[in-house]
């Protein structure tokens, strides 16, 4: 883990490589990626641009947790969303400054 400031951005649901390729065409700056698979290696081309990552599975020792730490990208793992999942394109805030990451939006 690393100390991370609160970041804001546009939530983009990333279900697979096609979503990554589409985002590579438009750019991922200011994007907070929402993924469900903690082993999702398909995010690799975007790490240097992402504002943050929200993963609904895994632990900080999962692939996404380890790589996000190395790239210093704020990342919340095993996130449980209260209510419905935010729609793709929703503006959210990711707060990883405490013991547990918090998504607000």
């Amino acid at each position: 883990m690393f100390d991370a400031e609160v970041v804001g951005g546009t939530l983009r649901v990333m279900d697979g490589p096609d979503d990554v390729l589409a985002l590579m065409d438009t750019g991922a700056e200011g994007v907070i990626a929402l993924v469900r698979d903690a082993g999702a290696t398909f995010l690799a081309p975007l790490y240097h641009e992402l504002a943050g990552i929200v993963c609904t599975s895994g632990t900080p020792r999962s692939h996404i947790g380890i790589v996000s730490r190395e790239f210093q990208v704020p990342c919340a793992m095993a996130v449980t969303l209260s209510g419905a999942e935010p729609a793709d394109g929703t503006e959210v805030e990711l707060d990883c400054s405490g013991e547990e990451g918090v998504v607000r939006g």
Side-chain angles (χ1 to χ4, degrees), residues 17-104:
D18 289 340
D19 295 321
V20 171
L21 291 171
L23 198 53
M24 287 174 69
D25 288 340
T26 59
E29 191 164 326
V31 168
I32 296 177
L34 172 64
V35 296
R36 292 170 187 87
D37 179 6
T41 58
F42 60 79
L43 278 182
L46 298 177
Y47 273 100
H48 65 284
E49 290 183 65
L50 291 172
I53 300 170
V54 174
C55 186
T56 59
S57 67
T59 71
R61 293 186 180 112
S62 299
H63 182 266
I64 286 180
I66 292 167
V67 176
S68 65
R69 182 190 68 228
E70 294 304 313
F71 276 87
Q72 298 290 287
V73 175
C75 179
M77 300 295 300
V79 171
T80 301
L81 299 166
S82 61
E85 182 178 288
D88 191 69
T90 301
E91 293 298 315
V92 297
E93 183 178 83
L94 176 58
D95 183 351
C96 294
S97 62
E99 277 294 309
E100 295 184 10
V102 177
V103 180
R104 299 179 191 97

